[in-house]
Amino acid sequence: MSCDISADVFACYFPFLNRSASYLAKRGYVLESVLDDRDMVEKAIERVRRAVARESFNAKSCLDRPEEGAVVARLALYLAAATGSSHILRRFADYESKNFASLLDKIPGVQSPGCKIEIGKDLGIYAKPSQEVMSGIAVVQFPIAVRWSTYLKYAPQDPHWAMINRVVVRGWVLLPMADYHRLLEEAYEERILKTVDENELAVGKVAMKVDMSKLEDLVKKYSYKPLPQAPVAGGPDPPCMKAILDALKAGENLPHTARFAITTYLLKRGWDVEQIVDLFRNAPDFNEKITRYQVQHIAGKVGGRKEYAVPSCETMNSWGLCPTNLGCNVRNPLQYGKRVAVKKSS
Ligand code: SF4
């Protein structure tokens, strides 16, 4: 492998890669014996707590006891799933994937493009150095080329990531390193959630064997909070906004565009800033301070003091946020409720 780092330390930094799982299996770690180790279980509980509370990860711990760190991380994932709260699990996955992306920048042994391409391969991202696709000075700015099909699979739903805004050469999307890290982060988060789906039995064993009451307070604090009630005047919500609200209820990680759209919409429907901040509490990456500033910014109360308009249906569709493919006969989601109300009364 092109990564200049030992297998045990690598597994500790990136515990949810296939390579790390294989390494631990080869070293003889099995769930049953790990569950018998009280110390490991306590550390895994602590790891869930720290992840869900977004406390910083101590990367140095991976140099002291790397194998233990890797095992504890994988056990922590099963514990997060065993709480039965999809919000806790998603919050855990979000934290771990962000941590993963920040380590890509910090750990000297993984800095080479070759190592990062191998990490991508582990996650199902087909990439190669840009100089194999094109020549010239642009390869410095865009060192990684990603096959378009895997690019589309993991690119966030945001205009910045639309293929039209990218340099594409013979089916390869050329990326700056920071954007490649973001793709890896998305793929890593998906890997974490998939690991749970593929190991239901293991999650069940953890739920049976570990005293889950130790995580009860965490579940209470971070699980689903009923969404504040929207004022009913103005008619029903359009399918696009309803889909965003449903995704928030399910604790899904929404793209920036969806967060922006729902915020502008709810402000126009009469919600105040605090109600909207509360709405986002279910998001896996919720940060109260940042969310409040962003909502205030969109409401025109801070920053440039410009209140943003609700995106048009055309824009919503171009962002991939219109489930009816412009089928509501309105130009803006705000018009939907009034139109339905008029139809009903006629
Ligand atoms: S047509 Fe407009 S209102 Fe209807 S779902 Fe699409 S974006 Fe929303």
Side-chain angles (χ1 to χ4, degrees), residues 191-255:
R191 164 68 54 79
I192 292 172
L193 296 173
K194 202 168 154 208
T195 302
V196 168
D197 286 346
E198 290 172 348
N199 292 281
E200 277 180 18
L201 213 63
V203 174
K205 276 184 196 165
V206 169
M208 298 272 287
K209 189 103 194 232
V210 176
D211 177 6
M212 296 302 292
S213 67
K214 291 187 173 175
L215 286 168
E216 253 172 27
D217 58 326
L218 203 69
V219 173
K220 257 191 207 146
K221 185 167 178 191
Y222 290 102
S223 281
Y224 172 65
K225 313 262 180 321
L227 300 184
Q229 282 300 306
V232 284
D237 297 319
C240 49
M241 299 301 171
K242 200 171 165 305
I244 296 173
L245 288 168
D246 287 347
L248 272 171
K249 269 187 213 167
E252 287 174 24
N253 222 348
L254 290 175

Side-chain angles (χ1 to χ4, degrees), residues 68-138:
E68 181 187 282
V71 172
V72 163
R74 291 190 72 89
L75 180 57
L77 169 61
Y78 292 152
L79 272 170
T83 61
S85 162
S86 61
H87 289 76
I88 293 284
L89 176 59
R90 283 183 181 277
R91 217 173 147 86
F92 179 87
D94 181 76
Y95 170 87
E96 288 289 340
S97 58
K98 285 193 167 63
N99 187 40
F100 158 85
S102 80
L103 290 174
L104 290 174
D105 267 333
K106 285 184 199 152
I107 308 301
V110 301
Q111 295 299 309
S112 72
C115 176
K116 290 175 183 174
I117 286 170
E118 283 195 36
I119 290 175
K121 198 168 161 196
D122 189 300
L123 292 166
I125 291 181
Y126 189 24
K128 55 181 168 179
S130 289
Q131 62 260 36
E132 291 181 22
V133 175
M134 63 178 283
S135 56
I137 191 80

Side-chain angles (χ1 to χ4, degrees), residues 238-240 313 316 322-324 326-328 330 333 336:
C240 49
C313 292
M316 291 289 282
C322 173
T324 65
L326 300 179
C328 300
V330 291
Y336 179 90

